[in-house]
Amino acid sequence: MNYQEAKEKFISTWGSLGSLWGINKAMAQIQALLFISTKPLSMEDIMEELKISRGNTSMNLRQLMDWGIVTKEIIPGERKEYFTTEKDVEELARHIAKERSRRELKPVLKVLKEVSNIDSDQSEETEELKKQTKALHDLTQQADDMLNKIADQDLNWVTKTFIKIMR
Amino acid sequence: MNYQEAKEKFISTWGSLGSLWGINKAMAQIQALLFISTKPLSMEDIMEELKISRGNTSMNLRQLMDWGIVTKEIIPGERKEYFTTEKDVEELARHIAKERSRRELKPVLKVLKEVSNIDSDQSEETEELKKQTKALHDLTQQADDMLNKIADQDLNWVTKTFIKIMR
DNA sequence: TTAAACTTTCAATAATAATTGAAAGTTTAT
DNA sequence: ATAAACTTTCAATTATTATTGAAAGTTTAA
């Protein structure tokens, strides 16, 4: 396998994994491309490499920025915007863990709490609903705790950033 | 919120969370329905409750059985097949963790290993590809280890099952 | 062995999600 | 102020995935 083949295989595999876990393919592929790029890429670069449209590229780059894993890079003297992704896999994991907790798990926890706390009546059905959704709430809470543990692994982020800026 | 409302809210929310994480809605909803049911349900029951077709129900039940989280229950004297889901959330988590590791993470790990092990050449690009996919491999391996830790939490499964059978 | 009761399969259809591309919007240089 | 260079938006289109329903398949009872 040569460089080009390996690159394509990586990008396509990462895209498929994304789909499997509810992340759109283009988004995952853009991230993958930036992740192995040695320099920031422009929208043109990305469009050309992945053969996707301008609109698609623009929208998915925005989403990646919303997730906090891609940032704009201003290159002095250049009109175009350039993009880079977080290159540190641990930081990447932190951002993703944090966002999935916030967007997806938190709202579900809220519903599970509501449902498991409805008033008891005499019926067996209601008791089962309450009991089982309570158990699911606790499990989901555990999963959420785990994600947040990952997300907070780096409590010295401020310090680290400070050092980066200072040197 | 009364029983019926709570039930519907739970089933619909669980279905949406499923979609978000790459699990088809009907599959998640069938599991949710069984999860709060006080007794095994037939295909008719499920079709009626969720307002989905016979074919859809059949296919998704099969998938749930493949995942190991739903089982057929034979009720003596009944022609119909009845279904139950694993009621213990921890067992549920184990099955899901194990399957997602096996189906989704393992194949990706293989590709990441291949890609990160391509021959070095002089180029910076190749080195970056190797370095970054290696890092991603290690991270994915960590995630996979975590899933398997969950999956194997219950190393005394055999013992437990044995006890269940014996008593 | 037949037929009723039930389940599975799968081609057709529908629903959902991703993608395009061109018009509108923004920024920068002169 | 103007226009070139670039980005964003969004209605229309296309691709993907889920769902239906009826025919084929299977099991059971008599």
Side-chain angles (χ1 to χ4, degrees):
Chain A
M1 196 161 37
N2 64 26
Y3 173 72
Q4 195 55 34
E5 286 164 348
K7 178 178 181 174
E8 278 163 20
K9 188 160 195 178
F10 167 59
I11 291 172
S12 124
T13 303
W14 206 241
S16 310
L17 183 64
S19 303
L20 239 31
W21 287 73
I23 286 153
N24 126 8
K25 196 180 75 175
M27 188 169 154
Q29 292 194 339
I30 292 172
Q31 199 278 326
L33 175 62
L34 291 174
F35 189 67
I36 56 166
S37 171
T38 54
K39 51 183 202 323
L41 300 181
S42 68
M43 240 169 64
E44 301 284 345
D45 294 336
I46 297 168
M47 287 166 59
E48 193 175 308
E49 282 271 13
L50 303 179
K51 272 130 187 71
I52 59 179
S53 72
R54 190 174 293 284
N56 198 3
T57 309
S58 170
M59 288 177 119
N60 282 108
L61 276 171
R62 176 135 70 92
Q63 281 219 71
L64 285 164
M65 289 188 287
D66 287 349
W67 276 64
I69 59 184
V70 162
T71 46
K72 270 187 195 163
E73 198 92 347
I74 305 297
I75 297 192
E78 289 266 20
R79 265 303 258 293
K80 276 187 204 146
E81 294 177 329
Y82 284 79
F83 301 89
T84 42
T85 191
E86 175 59 59
K87 285 271 180 170
D88 177 345
V89 290
E90 314 247 323
E91 285 288 312
L92 210 56
R94 288 186 57 238
H95 282 291
I96 293 167
K98 198 169 155 187
E99 286 300 306
R100 294 208 89 147
S101 161
R102 187 175 68 77
R103 297 173 189 221
E104 299 163 2
L105 259 28
K106 291 290 196 292
V108 168
L109 281 169
K110 188 165 163 288
V111 171
L112 288 175
K113 197 169 209 168
E114 280 168 35
V115 169
S116 67
N117 283 332
I118 62 167
D119 291 338
S120 286
D121 52 28
Q122 303 75 323
S123 79
E124 190 188 356
E125 279 75 21
T126 301
E127 289 318 302
E128 183 72 1
L129 173 65
K130 285 169 66 72
K131 176 178 141 229
Q132 290 296 81
T133 51
K134 174 69 167 56
L136 211 47
H137 174 275
D138 294 351
L139 177 74
T140 307
Q141 185 65 65
Q142 267 186 47
D144 190 52
D145 289 349
M146 201 164 71
L147 284 187
N148 284 300
K149 203 172 154 188
I150 295 166
D152 294 338
Q153 240 163 23
D154 209 348
L155 278 174
N156 53 357
W157 177 81
V158 181
T159 316
K160 217 163 122 183
T161 309
F162 187 68
I163 293 166
K164 270 185 199 163
I165 293 167
M166 290 283 83
R167 70 158 170 241
Chain B
M1 196 160 39
N2 64 27
Y3 173 71
Q4 195 55 33
E5 287 164 347
K7 178 177 181 175
E8 280 163 19
K9 188 161 195 177
F10 167 59
I11 291 173
S12 124
T13 302
W14 206 241
S16 310
L17 184 64
S19 304
L20 239 33
W21 286 73
I23 286 154
N24 123 11
K25 198 179 75 175
M27 188 169 154
Q29 291 194 339
I30 292 172
Q31 198 277 326
L33 176 62
L34 292 174
F35 189 67
I36 56 166
S37 171
T38 54
K39 51 183 201 325
L41 300 180
S42 69
M43 238 169 66
E44 299 284 345
D45 295 335
I46 296 167
M47 287 166 59
E48 194 173 308
E49 282 270 12
L50 302 179
K51 270 128 188 76
I52 59 177
S53 73
R54 189 173 295 283
N56 198 3
T57 308
S58 170
M59 287 178 118
N60 283 109
L61 276 171
R62 176 136 69 95
Q63 282 220 69
L64 284 163
M65 289 188 287
D66 287 349
W67 276 65
I69 60 184
V70 161
T71 46
K72 269 187 195 163
E73 197 92 347
I74 306 297
I75 297 193
E78 290 266 17
R79 264 305 255 295
K80 277 186 206 148
E81 294 177 331
Y82 285 78
F83 300 90
T84 42
T85 191
E86 174 58 59
K87 285 270 180 171
D88 177 345
V89 290
E90 315 248 324
E91 285 289 312
L92 210 56
R94 287 187 57 239
H95 282 291
I96 294 168
K98 197 168 155 187
E99 287 300 306
R100 294 208 89 148
S101 161
R102 186 175 68 77
R103 298 173 190 221
E104 299 162 3
L105 259 29
K106 291 291 195 292
V108 168
L109 280 170
K110 187 163 164 288
V111 171
L112 288 175
K113 196 168 209 168
E114 278 169 36
V115 169
S116 67
N117 283 334
I118 60 166
D119 290 338
S120 285
D121 53 27
Q122 302 75 323
S123 78
E124 191 189 354
E125 278 74 21
T126 300
E127 287 318 303
E128 182 71 2
L129 173 66
K130 285 169 66 71
K131 178 178 140 228
Q132 290 295 83
T133 52
K134 175 69 167 57
L136 211 47
H137 174 276
D138 295 350
L139 177 74
T140 307
Q141 186 64 66
Q142 266 186 49
D144 189 52
D145 288 348
M146 201 163 72
L147 283 187
N148 284 301
K149 204 172 153 188
I150 294 167
D152 295 338
Q153 238 163 27
D154 209 348
L155 276 175
N156 53 358
W157 177 82
V158 181
T159 318
K160 217 164 120 183
T161 308
F162 186 68
I163 293 167
K164 268 186 199 161
I165 293 168
M166 290 283 81
R167 72 160 166 240

Short mmCIF file of all heavy atoms in Angstrom, two decimals, chain A residues 57-107:
data_model
loop_
_atom_site.label_atom_id
_atom_site.label_comp_id
_atom_site.label_asym_id
_atom_site.label_seq_id
_atom_site.Cartn_x
_atom_site.Cartn_y
_atom_site.Cartn_z
N THR A 57 -18.85 21.36 1.91
CA THR A 57 -17.62 21.63 2.64
C THR A 57 -17.83 22.73 3.67
O THR A 57 -17.48 22.57 4.85
CB THR A 57 -16.51 22.06 1.66
OG1 THR A 57 -16.43 21.09 0.62
CG2 THR A 57 -15.17 22.18 2.36
N SER A 58 -18.44 23.79 3.23
CA SER A 58 -18.68 24.93 4.12
C SER A 58 -19.51 24.53 5.35
O SER A 58 -19.15 24.83 6.49
CB SER A 58 -19.39 26.04 3.35
OG SER A 58 -19.84 27.04 4.23
N MET A 59 -20.62 23.83 5.08
CA MET A 59 -21.50 23.45 6.19
C MET A 59 -20.84 22.49 7.17
O MET A 59 -20.98 22.64 8.37
CB MET A 59 -22.78 22.83 5.65
CG MET A 59 -23.67 23.86 5.01
SD MET A 59 -25.12 23.08 4.31
CE MET A 59 -26.40 23.89 5.26
N ASN A 60 -20.12 21.53 6.64
CA ASN A 60 -19.50 20.56 7.54
C ASN A 60 -18.32 21.13 8.30
O ASN A 60 -18.10 20.77 9.45
CB ASN A 60 -19.12 19.29 6.78
CG ASN A 60 -20.33 18.43 6.51
OD1 ASN A 60 -20.82 18.30 5.39
ND2 ASN A 60 -20.88 17.86 7.56
N LEU A 61 -17.61 22.07 7.65
CA LEU A 61 -16.54 22.74 8.38
C LEU A 61 -17.13 23.52 9.55
O LEU A 61 -16.58 23.52 10.65
CB LEU A 61 -15.78 23.69 7.45
CG LEU A 61 -14.69 23.05 6.60
CD1 LEU A 61 -14.17 24.05 5.58
CD2 LEU A 61 -13.55 22.54 7.48
N ARG A 62 -18.28 24.14 9.30
CA ARG A 62 -18.90 24.88 10.39
C ARG A 62 -19.28 23.97 11.55
O ARG A 62 -19.01 24.27 12.71
CB ARG A 62 -20.13 25.64 9.91
CG ARG A 62 -20.83 26.36 11.05
CD ARG A 62 -21.23 27.75 10.70
NE ARG A 62 -22.31 27.72 9.74
CZ ARG A 62 -23.59 27.74 10.06
NH1 ARG A 62 -23.95 27.83 11.33
NH2 ARG A 62 -24.51 27.69 9.13
N GLN A 63 -19.87 22.83 11.18
CA GLN A 63 -20.22 21.88 12.23
C GLN A 63 -19.00 21.44 13.03
O GLN A 63 -19.05 21.36 14.26
CB GLN A 63 -20.86 20.63 11.61
CG GLN A 63 -22.30 20.83 11.24
CD GLN A 63 -23.08 19.56 11.58
OE1 GLN A 63 -23.31 19.23 12.74
NE2 GLN A 63 -23.46 18.83 10.55
N LEU A 64 -17.92 21.16 12.30
CA LEU A 64 -16.69 20.73 12.98
C LEU A 64 -16.18 21.83 13.90
O LEU A 64 -15.67 21.55 14.99
CB LEU A 64 -15.63 20.34 11.95
CG LEU A 64 -15.85 18.99 11.27
CD1 LEU A 64 -15.01 18.86 10.01
CD2 LEU A 64 -15.52 17.85 12.24
N MET A 65 -16.35 23.07 13.49
CA MET A 65 -15.94 24.19 14.34
C MET A 65 -16.86 24.29 15.56
O MET A 65 -16.40 24.52 16.67
CB MET A 65 -15.88 25.49 13.54
CG MET A 65 -14.70 25.49 12.56
SD MET A 65 -14.40 27.07 11.74
CE MET A 65 -15.76 27.13 10.58
N ASP A 66 -18.17 24.07 15.33
CA ASP A 66 -19.12 24.06 16.46
C ASP A 66 -18.75 22.99 17.48
O ASP A 66 -18.92 23.17 18.68
CB ASP A 66 -20.55 23.76 15.98
CG ASP A 66 -21.16 24.93 15.23
OD1 ASP A 66 -20.57 26.03 15.26
OD2 ASP A 66 -22.23 24.74 14.60
N TRP A 67 -18.28 21.87 16.97
CA TRP A 67 -17.86 20.79 17.86
C TRP A 67 -16.52 21.10 18.54
O TRP A 67 -16.09 20.37 19.42
CB TRP A 67 -17.73 19.48 17.07
CG TRP A 67 -19.02 18.76 16.92
CD1 TRP A 67 -20.12 19.18 16.24
CD2 TRP A 67 -19.36 17.48 17.47
NE1 TRP A 67 -21.12 18.23 16.33
CE2 TRP A 67 -20.67 17.18 17.07
CE3 TRP A 67 -18.67 16.54 18.24
CZ2 TRP A 67 -21.32 16.00 17.42
CZ3 TRP A 67 -19.30 15.37 18.59
CH2 TRP A 67 -20.63 15.11 18.19
N GLY A 68 -15.87 22.14 18.03
CA GLY A 68 -14.61 22.56 18.65
C GLY A 68 -13.41 21.73 18.23
O GLY A 68 -12.38 21.77 18.91
N ILE A 69 -13.51 21.00 17.12
CA ILE A 69 -12.35 20.20 16.74
C ILE A 69 -11.67 20.68 15.46
O ILE A 69 -10.66 20.13 15.06
CB ILE A 69 -12.71 18.69 16.62
CG1 ILE A 69 -13.80 18.43 15.60
CG2 ILE A 69 -13.13 18.14 17.97
CD1 ILE A 69 -14.22 16.98 15.53
N VAL A 70 -12.23 21.71 14.86
CA VAL A 70 -11.55 22.33 13.72
C VAL A 70 -11.49 23.82 13.97
O VAL A 70 -12.43 24.40 14.53
CB VAL A 70 -12.28 22.01 12.39
CG1 VAL A 70 -11.88 22.97 11.28
CG2 VAL A 70 -11.98 20.57 11.94
N THR A 71 -10.38 24.44 13.59
CA THR A 71 -10.28 25.89 13.76
C THR A 71 -9.78 26.54 12.47
O THR A 71 -9.06 25.93 11.69
CB THR A 71 -9.29 26.26 14.90
OG1 THR A 71 -8.11 25.48 14.74
CG2 THR A 71 -9.91 25.99 16.25
N LYS A 72 -10.23 27.79 12.29
CA LYS A 72 -9.75 28.59 11.17
C LYS A 72 -8.33 29.03 11.47
O LYS A 72 -8.01 29.37 12.61
CB LYS A 72 -10.62 29.84 11.01
CG LYS A 72 -11.80 29.66 10.11
CD LYS A 72 -12.50 30.97 9.87
CE LYS A 72 -13.88 30.69 9.28
NZ LYS A 72 -14.80 31.83 9.38
N GLU A 73 -7.57 29.04 10.42
CA GLU A 73 -6.18 29.47 10.53
C GLU A 73 -6.04 30.65 9.56
O GLU A 73 -6.33 30.50 8.38
CB GLU A 73 -5.29 28.31 10.08
CG GLU A 73 -3.87 28.40 10.50
CD GLU A 73 -3.65 27.66 11.84
OE1 GLU A 73 -4.65 27.31 12.53
OE2 GLU A 73 -2.50 27.44 12.17
N ILE A 74 -5.67 31.78 10.06
CA ILE A 74 -5.47 32.89 9.13
C ILE A 74 -4.01 32.90 8.70
O ILE A 74 -3.12 32.99 9.55
CB ILE A 74 -5.84 34.25 9.77
CG1 ILE A 74 -7.27 34.21 10.33
CG2 ILE A 74 -5.68 35.38 8.77
CD1 ILE A 74 -8.36 34.01 9.31
N ILE A 75 -3.80 32.76 7.41
CA ILE A 75 -2.43 32.80 6.91
C ILE A 75 -2.15 34.20 6.37
O ILE A 75 -2.85 34.66 5.47
CB ILE A 75 -2.19 31.73 5.83
CG1 ILE A 75 -2.39 30.34 6.46
CG2 ILE A 75 -0.81 31.85 5.21
CD1 ILE A 75 -1.92 29.19 5.60
N PRO A 76 -1.14 34.88 6.96
CA PRO A 76 -0.86 36.28 6.59
C PRO A 76 -0.62 36.41 5.10
O PRO A 76 0.07 35.59 4.50
CB PRO A 76 0.42 36.58 7.37
CG PRO A 76 0.50 35.56 8.45
CD PRO A 76 -0.18 34.34 7.93
N GLY A 77 -1.25 37.42 4.53
CA GLY A 77 -1.09 37.65 3.10
C GLY A 77 -2.05 36.85 2.23
O GLY A 77 -2.16 37.09 1.04
N GLU A 78 -2.77 35.90 2.84
CA GLU A 78 -3.71 35.08 2.06
C GLU A 78 -5.14 35.56 2.29
O GLU A 78 -5.53 35.85 3.42
CB GLU A 78 -3.62 33.62 2.51
CG GLU A 78 -2.34 32.92 2.10
CD GLU A 78 -2.49 32.16 0.79
OE1 GLU A 78 -3.44 32.49 0.04
OE2 GLU A 78 -1.67 31.27 0.53
N ARG A 79 -5.91 35.61 1.23
CA ARG A 79 -7.32 35.97 1.34
C ARG A 79 -8.15 34.80 1.86
O ARG A 79 -9.06 34.95 2.67
CB ARG A 79 -7.87 36.36 -0.03
CG ARG A 79 -7.90 37.81 -0.39
CD ARG A 79 -8.65 38.69 0.54
NE ARG A 79 -9.98 39.06 0.04
CZ ARG A 79 -10.21 39.83 -1.02
NH1 ARG A 79 -9.21 40.33 -1.70
NH2 ARG A 79 -11.43 40.10 -1.40
N LYS A 80 -7.83 33.62 1.34
CA LYS A 80 -8.57 32.41 1.71
C LYS A 80 -8.47 32.09 3.19
O LYS A 80 -7.51 32.44 3.85
CB LYS A 80 -8.00 31.21 0.95
CG LYS A 80 -8.54 31.04 -0.43
CD LYS A 80 -8.00 29.71 -0.99
CE LYS A 80 -7.98 29.73 -2.50
NZ LYS A 80 -6.87 29.00 -3.07
N GLU A 81 -9.48 31.37 3.66
CA GLU A 81 -9.40 30.85 5.01
C GLU A 81 -8.81 29.44 4.97
O GLU A 81 -9.09 28.68 4.06
CB GLU A 81 -10.79 30.80 5.63
CG GLU A 81 -11.36 32.20 5.81
CD GLU A 81 -12.78 32.17 6.35
OE1 GLU A 81 -13.52 31.21 6.05
OE2 GLU A 81 -13.15 33.11 7.08
N TYR A 82 -8.02 29.14 5.95
CA TYR A 82 -7.42 27.80 6.03
C TYR A 82 -7.90 27.13 7.31
O TYR A 82 -8.28 27.79 8.27
CB TYR A 82 -5.89 27.92 6.00
CG TYR A 82 -5.39 28.20 4.61
CD1 TYR A 82 -5.44 29.50 4.08
CD2 TYR A 82 -4.88 27.19 3.81
CE1 TYR A 82 -5.00 29.76 2.78
CE2 TYR A 82 -4.43 27.44 2.52
CZ TYR A 82 -4.50 28.73 2.01
OH TYR A 82 -4.07 28.98 0.73
N PHE A 83 -7.92 25.81 7.26
CA PHE A 83 -8.46 25.06 8.39
C PHE A 83 -7.49 24.00 8.88
O PHE A 83 -6.77 23.38 8.09
CB PHE A 83 -9.77 24.39 7.98
CG PHE A 83 -10.80 25.37 7.53
CD1 PHE A 83 -10.89 25.76 6.20
CD2 PHE A 83 -11.67 25.95 8.45
CE1 PHE A 83 -11.83 26.70 5.78
CE2 PHE A 83 -12.62 26.89 8.05
CZ PHE A 83 -12.70 27.26 6.71
N THR A 84 -7.52 23.83 10.19
CA THR A 84 -6.75 22.74 10.81
C THR A 84 -7.65 22.03 11.81
O THR A 84 -8.59 22.62 12.33
CB THR A 84 -5.55 23.26 11.63
OG1 THR A 84 -5.95 24.42 12.36
CG2 THR A 84 -4.38 23.56 10.75
N THR A 85 -7.33 20.79 12.10
CA THR A 85 -8.06 20.10 13.15
C THR A 85 -7.13 19.93 14.34
O THR A 85 -5.90 20.02 14.21
CB THR A 85 -8.53 18.70 12.69
OG1 THR A 85 -9.45 18.19 13.65
CG2 THR A 85 -7.39 17.72 12.56
N GLU A 86 -7.72 19.70 15.45
CA GLU A 86 -6.96 19.32 16.63
C GLU A 86 -6.12 18.09 16.29
O GLU A 86 -6.66 17.09 15.86
CB GLU A 86 -7.95 19.00 17.75
CG GLU A 86 -7.35 18.47 19.01
CD GLU A 86 -6.35 19.42 19.62
OE1 GLU A 86 -6.73 20.56 19.92
OE2 GLU A 86 -5.16 19.04 19.76
N LYS A 87 -4.83 18.20 16.51
CA LYS A 87 -3.95 17.09 16.11
C LYS A 87 -3.72 16.10 17.25
O LYS A 87 -3.26 14.98 17.04
CB LYS A 87 -2.59 17.67 15.67
CG LYS A 87 -2.64 18.32 14.29
CD LYS A 87 -2.34 17.30 13.22
CE LYS A 87 -2.38 17.92 11.83
NZ LYS A 87 -1.85 16.97 10.83
N ASP A 88 -4.03 16.53 18.45
CA ASP A 88 -3.82 15.68 19.62
C ASP A 88 -5.07 14.82 19.85
O ASP A 88 -6.15 15.33 20.12
CB ASP A 88 -3.55 16.60 20.82
CG ASP A 88 -3.39 15.83 22.11
OD1 ASP A 88 -3.75 14.64 22.16
OD2 ASP A 88 -2.91 16.42 23.08
N VAL A 89 -4.90 13.51 19.71
CA VAL A 89 -6.07 12.62 19.80
C VAL A 89 -6.79 12.73 21.15
O VAL A 89 -8.00 12.54 21.22
CB VAL A 89 -5.72 11.13 19.55
CG1 VAL A 89 -5.36 10.90 18.09
CG2 VAL A 89 -4.66 10.63 20.49
N GLU A 90 -6.05 13.05 22.19
CA GLU A 90 -6.70 13.13 23.51
C GLU A 90 -7.63 14.35 23.58
O GLU A 90 -8.75 14.27 24.08
CB GLU A 90 -5.66 13.23 24.63
CG GLU A 90 -4.51 12.25 24.49
CD GLU A 90 -4.52 11.20 25.59
OE1 GLU A 90 -4.86 11.54 26.73
OE2 GLU A 90 -4.19 10.03 25.29
N GLU A 91 -7.14 15.44 23.02
CA GLU A 91 -7.98 16.64 22.95
C GLU A 91 -9.22 16.38 22.10
O GLU A 91 -10.32 16.79 22.43
CB GLU A 91 -7.20 17.81 22.34
CG GLU A 91 -6.16 18.42 23.25
CD GLU A 91 -6.79 19.24 24.38
OE1 GLU A 91 -7.69 20.06 24.12
OE2 GLU A 91 -6.38 19.04 25.54
N LEU A 92 -8.99 15.67 21.02
CA LEU A 92 -10.07 15.29 20.12
C LEU A 92 -11.13 14.52 20.88
O LEU A 92 -12.33 14.83 20.83
CB LEU A 92 -9.46 14.39 19.04
CG LEU A 92 -10.07 14.40 17.66
CD1 LEU A 92 -10.09 15.80 17.11
CD2 LEU A 92 -9.26 13.50 16.75
N ALA A 93 -10.69 13.53 21.62
CA ALA A 93 -11.60 12.70 22.39
C ALA A 93 -12.36 13.56 23.41
O ALA A 93 -13.58 13.39 23.59
CB ALA A 93 -10.82 11.60 23.10
N ARG A 94 -11.66 14.47 24.05
CA ARG A 94 -12.30 15.35 25.03
C ARG A 94 -13.43 16.15 24.41
O ARG A 94 -14.54 16.20 24.94
CB ARG A 94 -11.28 16.35 25.58
CG ARG A 94 -10.25 15.79 26.53
CD ARG A 94 -9.43 16.92 27.10
NE ARG A 94 -10.30 17.88 27.76
CZ ARG A 94 -10.38 19.17 27.45
NH1 ARG A 94 -9.63 19.68 26.51
NH2 ARG A 94 -11.22 19.95 28.10
N HIS A 95 -13.15 16.78 23.26
CA HIS A 95 -14.17 17.61 22.61
C HIS A 95 -15.40 16.78 22.24
O HIS A 95 -16.52 17.19 22.46
CB HIS A 95 -13.60 18.24 21.34
CG HIS A 95 -12.74 19.42 21.61
ND1 HIS A 95 -13.24 20.61 22.09
CD2 HIS A 95 -11.42 19.60 21.48
CE1 HIS A 95 -12.25 21.46 22.23
NE2 HIS A 95 -11.13 20.88 21.88
N ILE A 96 -15.13 15.62 21.66
CA ILE A 96 -16.24 14.79 21.20
C ILE A 96 -17.06 14.29 22.38
O ILE A 96 -18.29 14.35 22.38
CB ILE A 96 -15.71 13.62 20.33
CG1 ILE A 96 -15.13 14.18 19.03
CG2 ILE A 96 -16.82 12.62 20.03
CD1 ILE A 96 -14.31 13.19 18.22
N ALA A 97 -16.37 13.84 23.42
CA ALA A 97 -17.05 13.35 24.62
C ALA A 97 -17.95 14.44 25.21
O ALA A 97 -19.12 14.23 25.52
CB ALA A 97 -16.03 12.90 25.65
N LYS A 98 -17.38 15.63 25.31
CA LYS A 98 -18.11 16.75 25.90
C LYS A 98 -19.36 17.10 25.10
O LYS A 98 -20.44 17.27 25.65
CB LYS A 98 -17.16 17.96 25.91
CG LYS A 98 -17.56 19.07 26.83
CD LYS A 98 -16.39 20.04 26.94
CE LYS A 98 -16.84 21.43 27.31
NZ LYS A 98 -15.70 22.38 27.24
N GLU A 99 -19.20 17.16 23.79
CA GLU A 99 -20.33 17.55 22.95
C GLU A 99 -21.42 16.49 22.92
O GLU A 99 -22.60 16.81 22.96
CB GLU A 99 -19.85 17.84 21.53
CG GLU A 99 -19.10 19.15 21.40
CD GLU A 99 -19.95 20.35 21.81
OE1 GLU A 99 -21.06 20.52 21.29
OE2 GLU A 99 -19.51 21.12 22.70
N ARG A 100 -21.02 15.23 22.86
CA ARG A 100 -22.05 14.19 22.80
C ARG A 100 -22.78 14.12 24.13
O ARG A 100 -23.98 13.86 24.17
CB ARG A 100 -21.45 12.82 22.42
CG ARG A 100 -20.91 12.83 20.99
CD ARG A 100 -20.94 11.46 20.33
NE ARG A 100 -22.20 11.23 19.66
CZ ARG A 100 -22.36 10.51 18.55
NH1 ARG A 100 -21.33 9.95 17.97
NH2 ARG A 100 -23.55 10.34 18.02
N SER A 101 -22.08 14.35 25.20
CA SER A 101 -22.76 14.40 26.50
C SER A 101 -23.78 15.54 26.50
O SER A 101 -24.95 15.34 26.82
CB SER A 101 -21.73 14.61 27.61
OG SER A 101 -22.36 15.09 28.77
N ARG A 102 -23.33 16.69 26.11
CA ARG A 102 -24.16 17.88 26.18
C ARG A 102 -25.38 17.82 25.26
O ARG A 102 -26.51 18.09 25.66
CB ARG A 102 -23.32 19.11 25.81
CG ARG A 102 -24.01 20.44 25.98
CD ARG A 102 -23.06 21.59 25.69
NE ARG A 102 -22.68 21.69 24.28
CZ ARG A 102 -23.46 22.17 23.31
NH1 ARG A 102 -24.68 22.58 23.59
NH2 ARG A 102 -23.02 22.24 22.07
N ARG A 103 -25.13 17.37 24.03
CA ARG A 103 -26.20 17.41 23.03
C ARG A 103 -27.15 16.24 23.12
O ARG A 103 -28.32 16.35 22.78
CB ARG A 103 -25.60 17.36 21.62
CG ARG A 103 -24.74 18.53 21.30
CD ARG A 103 -24.06 18.30 19.96
NE ARG A 103 -23.05 19.33 19.75
CZ ARG A 103 -22.83 19.93 18.59
NH1 ARG A 103 -23.53 19.56 17.54
NH2 ARG A 103 -21.92 20.85 18.47
N GLU A 104 -26.61 15.07 23.48
CA GLU A 104 -27.40 13.86 23.32
C GLU A 104 -27.77 13.18 24.62
O GLU A 104 -28.93 12.80 24.82
CB GLU A 104 -26.64 12.89 22.41
CG GLU A 104 -26.41 13.50 21.02
CD GLU A 104 -25.34 12.81 20.21
OE1 GLU A 104 -24.78 11.82 20.68
OE2 GLU A 104 -25.06 13.29 19.09
N LEU A 105 -26.81 13.04 25.52
CA LEU A 105 -27.11 12.33 26.75
C LEU A 105 -27.89 13.18 27.74
O LEU A 105 -28.88 12.70 28.32
CB LEU A 105 -25.81 11.81 27.37
CG LEU A 105 -25.52 10.32 27.13
CD1 LEU A 105 -26.11 9.80 25.87
CD2 LEU A 105 -24.05 10.00 27.24
N LYS A 106 -27.51 14.40 27.92
CA LYS A 106 -28.18 15.26 28.89
C LYS A 106 -29.70 15.34 28.65
O LYS A 106 -30.47 15.16 29.60
CB LYS A 106 -27.56 16.66 28.91
CG LYS A 106 -26.13 16.72 29.49
CD LYS A 106 -26.07 16.46 31.00
CE LYS A 106 -24.76 16.89 31.64
NZ LYS A 106 -23.58 16.08 31.23
N PRO A 107 -30.13 15.60 27.42
CA PRO A 107 -31.59 15.66 27.18
C PRO A 107 -32.29 14.34 27.48
O PRO A 107 -33.42 14.34 27.99
CB PRO A 107 -31.69 15.99 25.69
CG PRO A 107 -30.39 16.60 25.32
CD PRO A 107 -29.37 15.98 26.21
#
